[in-house]
Amino acid sequence: MKRISLLIGLLSLIQGTGFAQSNGADLVEHVDVFQDCQAHWTSKDLTLKNALIQRQWRIENGLLVNTSLKDPVTGNEQLLAASPQPSPAPEFEVRETCRKTTVSADTIRAVVVETTALQVAIRSEYDSYTLTTYCKIYPQTPAISTWLRIEQKTTLAGGTVGGERVTGIEAAKQAQTIKTDLNDVLLLNHVHRQLLAVTLMDHTDDKDNLVQVDTYLLTNPSSNAWAGNLFILEDQFTKNGLIFLKEAPLPYARPVKSVADLRQNASQFAFTGLGAGADSVRESYPFTVLLYQNGVAGRTAVLQQYQRRFRIYNAQRDELIWHSIWGDRNRDGRMTEGFLSKEIALNRQIGIDHLYFIDGWQKGPSSNSINREKGGLWDNQWSVADYWEPNKERFPNGFDALVSQAKANGFKIGMWYNPDKTNDYANWKRDTDVLLNFHRRFGANYFKFDGVEFTTKKGEANLLRAMHRVVQETNGQAGIEIDITAGLRTGYFAAMAYGTLFLENRYTDWRKYYPHTTLRNLWQLSQFVDPRRMRIEFLNPERNQHLYPNDPLAPARYPKDYGLAVTLFAKPMAWFETSGLSDSTSKAIKALLTVYKPHQSAIHQGTIFPIGDEPTGFSWTGFQSQTSDTDGYVIVYRELNPDGSRPIRLYNLPAGTYRFERLSGGGKSFQATSNDSGTVTFSLPTTLNYGFFRYQRLTGNPKP
């Protein structure tokens, strides 16, 4: 990083890479540069930019006031005017005069696996509190994040949280100024703009419709309020737009609730709800503004690009076929040394490369155990001194022999764990001591966190400390499988640096597994959540066929590798006892994994788009991974649809002739000439089938 100070006046005080302002006399411009990122500031203003985004603020009484949000790609200014008040702003009105402001910049990696970013800190001191605004930007990424740290010295009179309510009562058309509990406030053109309010759901044990997108036209001035983590504002003419992302748990799961996350009144867009809590020292959730061009394709690509900045890709660590015997519902009943040894041998034969010690490896039973009547716990595990010791009855020789067998076969090691919720995860260090010991002793690098439930900011913070410690002290070799199937948890965006999302539990035992609903959940989410962050299950399709009588979409009606094919562009998870597979199912899974694994890394490094129609069990649908301007992968699924072929639009496909090489599934290799629309016709001879292709451009069509 280059640091430059350009003298344009008298310098009142230099401290490190920043300045201290006490009387407004500092007229020095400071510049910090890191790759294509730049931060410019004086005592009165701040500019943060890279090649793809630029934001400017006025420094006013120690806080930032938006003055510009520019798209350097198009040259367009996004703001109509400067914002009416500062943001981010605390839950109380800042009425005191700022005594001193210090601005500093540096490169940071908040987590060892994260891409290095340029971060600016604006620390402002008042009589009763200190407020620090952070602004962060990654190289070559059209995103800037801001958040606020509040350090209160005294209790504020009149409380700390604003009492404004959202009502249905008609108000004047003049936008009402919101002064407190602000993440950001922007004056944006609303005419001929389309707002997408994206509602995501987790708690997938009892929810199977995980995405809802509500679309609004904002042409006429109006007042609206929405809750959510993700909002998109798109120009209907250019298809360029803005993305607004709150990196927080979903609204229902946050310990500190807010009435709304976005309040819009004509051109004023106020993003509210810091979620910082009430401690004397507290921080808000990061709030990120992203720019994109090219409509759906552009915003999908930008969201994936940004999420990937939190966890640098490592094929040796990130690519594996996860295996869990829990999917066959014997729970921990077969969790023994002998059984797992046989599973390792069978897994090696078909291409699974993961040994997972599920719930039951530990001496103390959990509430999910077949032995739960012997004192099964879901909390307060440290009240039993040897709870987290290996279960000697099930593993009389410990784990050494199993781990040695697994490593000899190239396997990676995972562990199930339920952190102790007592006193807001007060035992988080003891919990992580257990995990780090397994990492050092056995090379365990994948820890599934289950049973998580936090209802306070302290509990949320301690849980994140536990995740952070595991990743940081293993130098990024280990990560967390973040289970979002139940409880009150971090959701899709609050812990992006720490590992993979364990999306859902599905079982044929209760007729809750259908290939098309798993596909639908992944397809819908992949527009907003990077598919390579999601662990997706495939089951033994032949179990419990009697529970699906006369059901045309029963798992057993598909090819035996179809469930696996659904997961290929995400993170596949074998959710069965391999010893329970029939020979034909084992062979089908082995054949597809043999084809898939050489391409797995390339697929996951590409930009992944959902293509075709939304999966319903009756559509043509699929995924595309764009690995270069002219190359990539496509998987298409013909559900119970009468059409033997279907034109499907691919994204960012330049006009030309392409070869589509069939890798697996139905259909044949073919050549297709695509115009600028990117439409290609795919054919599959039978219903309930898939085709997995690699495509490459052969010739270009010169433009006239």
Side-chain angles (χ1 to χ4, degrees):
M1 179 173 65
K2 299 177 182 178
R3 294 190 174 93
I4 307 168
S5 293
L6 303 175
L7 187 62
I8 58 174
L10 295 176
L11 175 63
S12 63
L13 180 63
I14 295 179
Q15 292 185 341
T17 64
F19 72 87
Q21 169 199 356
S22 57
N23 55 13
D26 187 353
L27 300 176
V28 174
E29 181 182 8
H30 301 262
V31 182
D32 264 329
V33 179
F34 172 63
Q35 296 184 21
D36 71 327
C37 302
Q38 294 184 31
H40 300 247
W41 70 90
T42 71
S43 63
K44 296 188 178 299
D45 53 57
L46 166 67
T47 299
L48 190 60
K49 65 181 181 178
N50 63 20
L52 301 174
I53 190 171
Q54 174 180 299
R55 293 195 69 174
Q56 292 178 301
W57 298 269
R58 183 172 70 247
I59 301 175
E60 185 176 281
N61 196 32
L63 296 175
L64 298 184
V65 176
N66 286 297
T67 57
S68 175
L69 170 56
K70 194 171 184 179
D71 184 343
V73 176
T74 63
N76 291 333
E77 171 61 55
Q78 306 294 314
L79 300 189
L80 297 174
S83 298
Q85 70 280 319
S87 61
E91 313 95 323
F92 53 85
E93 193 169 345
V94 177
R95 295 173 179 172
E96 297 181 2
T97 300
C98 180
R99 302 301 184 191
K100 179 181 178 182
T101 295
T102 304
V103 181
S104 60
D106 209 345
T107 53
I108 63 102
R109 291 171 70 191
V111 187
V112 67
V113 295
E114 190 175 334
T115 302
T116 303
L118 177 61
Q119 181 170 292
V120 178
I122 305 94
R123 180 178 172 84
S124 299
E125 300 177 27
Y126 306 80
D127 288 340
S128 303
Y129 39 84
T130 297
L131 303 176
T132 304
T133 303
Y134 294 94
C135 307
K136 184 168 99 173
I137 188 170
Y138 292 105
Q140 290 295 320
T141 308
I144 293 177
S145 303
T146 56
W147 67 96
L148 185 67
R149 179 180 173 87
I150 304 164
E151 301 169 70
Q152 259 178 242
K153 304 171 188 176
T154 60
T155 302
L156 295 172
T160 61
V161 180
E164 183 178 356
R165 295 186 300 114
V166 177
T167 72
I169 300 173
E170 184 174 338
K173 292 185 178 180
Q174 179 70 29
Q176 296 180 347
T177 299
I178 301 171
K179 297 182 179 180
T180 62
D181 202 23
L182 277 170
N183 294 290
D184 216 336
V185 58
L186 304 163
L187 295 183
L188 302 168
N189 190 351
H190 64 282
V191 178
H192 306 311
R193 298 305 193 269
Q194 190 176 60
L195 180 78
L196 277 65
V198 181
T199 301
L200 303 180
M201 291 305 302
D202 55 13
H203 219 282
T204 57
D205 277 351
D206 56 26
K207 292 180 175 61
D208 204 32
N209 292 280
L210 307 182
V211 181
Q212 178 178 323
V213 181
D214 293 313
T215 304
Y216 301 87
L217 289 180
L218 304 179
T219 302
N220 292 318
S222 60
S223 295
N224 300 288
W226 299 273
N229 290 64
L230 183 61
F231 302 93
I232 296 163
L233 184 67
E234 185 171 290
D235 187 317
Q236 292 184 278
F237 292 107
T238 66
K239 301 303 179 183
N240 301 334
L242 293 149
I243 303 169
F244 308 101
L245 175 65
K246 181 181 286 190
E247 296 169 27
L250 298 178
Y252 83 94
R254 295 175 202 155
V256 180
K257 303 294 189 289
S258 54
V259 175
D261 293 291
L262 168 58
R263 305 183 191 191
Q264 179 252 340
N265 191 316
S267 62
Q268 179 174 295
F269 290 73
F271 297 91
T272 57
L274 296 174
D279 289 345
S280 58
V281 179
R282 56 195 186 273
E283 284 191 8
S284 68
Y285 296 115
F287 181 80
T288 303
V289 177
L290 305 96
L291 295 174
Y292 70 92
Q293 300 83 39
N294 193 29
V296 174
R299 67 178 182 245
T300 302
V302 163
L303 277 167
Q304 286 182 28
Q305 179 190 23
Y306 179 66
Q307 290 170 67
R308 293 176 185 185
R309 294 293 180 256
F310 286 86
R311 194 166 178 82
I312 298 169
Y313 178 78
N314 180 333
Q316 291 299 313
R317 178 197 65 204
D318 296 334
E319 299 296 1
L320 79 161
I321 308 300
W322 186 282
H323 176 240
S324 174
I325 64 175
W326 199 268
D328 279 9
R329 288 308 301 163
N330 288 307
R331 293 183 285 177
D332 59 348
R334 297 187 180 177
M335 189 59 180
T336 65
E337 180 177 350
F339 184 78
L340 291 185
S341 179
K342 293 177 182 177
E343 290 285 295
I344 290 172
L346 293 170
N347 285 344
R348 182 178 183 273
Q349 292 176 22
I350 67 173
I352 294 170
D353 47 18
H354 175 242
L355 170 63
Y356 178 45
F357 291 95
I358 63 168
D359 182 1
W361 66 260
Q362 75 282 10
K363 182 176 180 179
S366 80
S367 296
N368 276 333
S369 172
I370 62 170
N371 298 319
R372 58 188 172 189
E373 71 280 355
K374 296 180 180 179
L377 296 177
W378 206 239
D379 195 5
N380 198 27
Q381 295 93 330
W382 287 106
S383 64
V384 179
D386 55 356
Y387 187 92
W388 290 117
E389 293 296 320
N391 189 314
K392 291 293 186 181
E393 293 182 7
R394 294 177 171 181
F395 302 94
N397 300 308
F399 298 149
D400 297 87
L402 274 174
V403 169
S404 296
Q405 178 189 358
K407 289 184 175 180
N409 287 288
F411 281 39
K412 300 173 184 178
I413 312 301
M415 307 286 298
W416 174 91
Y417 199 82
N418 179 6
D420 185 357
K421 294 179 279 293
T422 305
N423 296 327
D424 297 316
Y425 293 95
N427 290 312
W428 68 271
K429 287 186 178 179
R430 298 178 71 181
D431 284 325
T432 50
D433 282 344
V434 174
L435 305 182
L436 292 170
N437 178 59
F438 279 117
H439 167 76
R440 289 187 290 265
R441 185 172 176 184
F442 303 113
N445 285 340
Y446 308 87
F447 299 106
K448 181 177 183 280
F449 272 19
D450 205 351
V452 169
E453 184 125 8
F454 52 77
T455 58
T456 67
K457 286 298 293 184
K458 183 178 180 181
E460 179 186 35
N462 282 339
L463 181 70
L464 291 173
R465 289 185 181 105
M467 295 184 185
H468 183 87
R469 187 184 182 210
V470 169
V471 173
Q472 203 73 5
E473 293 196 14
T474 62
N475 196 33
Q477 295 179 58
I480 308 299
E481 289 289 311
I482 303 171
D483 187 303
I484 57 172
T485 66
L488 297 172
R489 302 181 180 176
T490 51
Y492 296 98
F493 299 117
M496 290 187 281
Y498 299 129
T500 301
L501 296 169
F502 188 103
L503 183 66
E504 60 187 21
N505 301 300
R506 293 293 182 266
Y507 306 98
T508 57
D509 303 73
W510 301 309
R511 199 175 171 178
K512 292 186 69 175
Y513 173 67
Y514 283 93
H516 76 277
T517 57
T518 291
L519 175 59
R520 180 174 182 265
N521 286 339
L522 175 60
W523 192 94
Q524 288 187 317
L525 283 167
S526 65
Q527 301 171 68
F528 311 110
V529 181
D530 184 3
R532 81 180 195 194
R533 294 181 54 221
M534 290 185 279
R535 191 78 63 194
I536 305 296
E537 80 287 344
F538 63 101
L539 279 69
N540 179 348
E542 296 179 298
R543 288 186 72 246
N544 299 311
Q545 294 185 52
H546 65 285
L547 298 179
Y548 296 82
N550 303 315
D551 190 332
L553 297 177
R557 291 186 177 267
Y558 294 80
K560 297 180 188 301
D561 61 352
Y562 188 95
L564 169 59
V566 164
T567 74
L568 296 184
F569 282 44
K571 294 293 182 68
M573 177 173 64
W575 191 234
F576 49 68
E577 297 171 2
T578 308
S579 54
L581 299 179
S582 67
D583 288 345
S584 59
T585 299
S586 294
K587 289 177 182 178
I589 291 173
K590 177 181 180 179
L592 180 50
L593 287 178
T594 300
V595 170
Y596 167 67
K597 291 176 79 171
H599 303 282
Q600 186 177 14
S601 179
I603 290 169
H604 286 150
Q605 291 182 80
T607 302
I608 300 171
F609 300 100
I611 58 174
D613 296 325
E614 177 184 307
T616 61
F618 302 92
S619 66
W620 273 83
T621 186
F623 297 100
Q624 173 193 1
S625 174
Q626 180 193 358
T627 58
S628 75
D629 290 341
T630 57
D631 298 77
Y633 295 86
V634 170
I635 191 164
V636 292
Y637 310 92
R638 179 186 173 187
E639 299 187 302
L640 201 58
N641 187 286
D643 299 331
S645 61
R646 176 65 63 88
I648 295 178
R649 181 189 174 195
L650 304 185
Y651 289 103
N652 302 328
L653 194 73
T657 300
Y658 291 81
R659 173 171 171 78
F660 285 79
E661 177 192 2
R662 174 191 168 273
L663 300 176
S664 187
K668 299 178 181 179
S669 298
F670 65 98
Q671 289 187 14
T673 299
S674 172
N675 58 23
D676 286 330
S677 72
T679 300
V680 174
T681 298
F682 292 88
S683 298
L684 292 174
T686 59
T687 60
L688 302 183
N689 208 342
Y690 74 94
F692 177 30
F693 302 90
R694 175 171 55 183
Y695 68 86
Q696 183 177 23
R697 188 182 187 188
L698 299 178
T699 61
N701 289 346
K703 293 183 183 269

